[in-house]
Amino acid sequence: MRAAWALGQEPIPNVIRLIESYGVRVFSLPSDCLEVGAFSTIAGGTPFIFLGSHESGERLRFDAAHELGHLLLHGGVPRGRDLEIEADDFASAFLMPHSGLLAQRLKNAPTDRILSAKRRWGVSAIDLTRRLRRLDLLPGRRYNQAVNELTRRGYRRTEPDSLLTRESSLLLTYIFKELRNGLKMSPAVLATELGIHPTMLIECVNGLAPLGLDGGGQHSASLRPKFAPVRD
């Protein structure tokens, strides 16, 4: 990752590819479902994670780890506030291990130090701040000050200074490469075989794998099938 290289560190692990290596299928949410944010489910014995295509690289990694937490801890049971907190705690520990944070000497870290350290972990400034508070490395008053300062600088919902490239799917990239080079099958033909609109196919891999829509005619966006997430 560019941010890690810039700091002379080892590249930050690719969470999506790690998740895929254990059999989880990762896709993007279509544009008419972005309000969902991210979700996971198990269908036919296969775990699936769907991620928002508009998130920064940092928030995408946290969302992926959060949904992995749901799959491992909750196995498709109905969601609730307590389970969301558990999934957040899992993602935080997964991406920002306690021992590593201690080694970085982040106790009582000022805001600028948090902004610097977040690049080491590939996470958002807010998520790192919350993790530090959870581990009692930031006292309550200092935590509130940090959150207020980060909000003032625009870090509440975005990462204004992000250098982190969004993670991609090795599996999807390989599949589409083989379809294109081996079977000579275009994305438009694949969409027809799957019984979905070509635009839907593009949106489901948006940001995760290079995919261009070639051949065929122009299609109205109004004809695009609606995608509704289904949970077990």
Side-chain angles (χ1 to χ4, degrees):
M1 298 293 183
R2 287 181 296 173
W5 293 335
L7 294 175
Q9 299 167 343
E10 290 296 319
I12 298 171
N14 187 304
V15 174
I16 290 178
R17 297 185 183 186
L18 176 62
I19 290 173
E20 287 181 324
S21 72
Y22 286 92
V24 181
R25 302 294 179 252
V26 182
F27 294 94
S28 293
L29 286 168
S31 58
D32 51 4
C33 295
L34 292 182
E35 69 278 3
V36 175
F39 79 95
S40 56
T41 188
I42 299 175
T46 300
F48 291 87
I49 290 177
F50 293 83
L51 301 170
S53 58
H54 64 295
E55 296 287 5
S56 68
E58 292 87 350
R59 290 166 190 264
L60 183 82
R61 298 178 78 249
F62 192 90
D63 284 350
H66 174 100
E67 296 305 326
L68 177 62
H70 277 310
L71 291 172
L72 293 175
L73 300 174
H74 311 135
V77 301
R79 304 292 168 84
R81 178 173 173 77
D82 289 344
L83 300 190
E84 293 300 322
I85 292 175
E86 285 184 3
D88 272 348
D89 287 344
F90 173 90
S92 295
F94 184 77
L95 298 174
M96 298 166 278
H98 188 186
S99 60
L101 295 179
L102 290 177
Q104 292 291 310
R105 299 180 181 179
L106 292 174
K107 187 172 184 178
N108 294 318
T111 303
D112 286 341
R113 177 75 178 96
I114 292 173
L115 290 174
S116 173
K118 80 182 184 74
R119 299 188 181 96
R120 165 67 179 82
W121 304 104
V123 296
S124 74
I126 286 292
D127 285 331
L128 176 56
T129 302
R130 289 171 177 162
R131 176 65 168 158
L132 294 175
R133 176 60 185 141
R134 191 76 165 174
L135 297 175
D136 290 327
L137 295 177
L138 282 182
R141 182 175 180 181
R142 179 71 198 94
Y143 168 77
N144 292 333
Q145 291 174 342
V147 169
N148 290 337
E149 176 65 13
L150 290 171
T151 300
R152 186 184 67 80
R153 296 194 194 185
Y155 286 90
R156 187 72 179 189
R157 298 186 181 279
T158 62
E159 297 303 306
D161 64 345
S162 178
L163 297 175
L164 194 65
T165 303
R166 281 176 54 90
E167 294 186 352
S168 60
S169 162
L170 183 62
L171 178 62
L172 289 175
T173 299
Y174 174 80
I175 288 173
F176 284 108
K177 179 181 178 181
E178 288 300 304
L179 287 171
R180 182 175 62 252
N181 298 335
L183 299 179
K184 309 300 181 184
M185 180 181 290
S186 70
V189 172
L190 175 60
T192 300
E193 291 290 327
L194 294 173
I196 63 175
H197 195 287
T199 307
M200 177 63 73
L201 176 62
I202 290 177
E203 291 196 347
C204 284
V205 300
N206 183 28
L208 294 174
L211 177 63
L213 181 60
D214 55 318
Q218 296 297 317
H219 301 276
S220 169
S222 64
L223 298 178
R224 185 176 66 228
K226 296 296 183 181
F227 180 91
V230 178
R231 300 180 187 274
D232 283 353

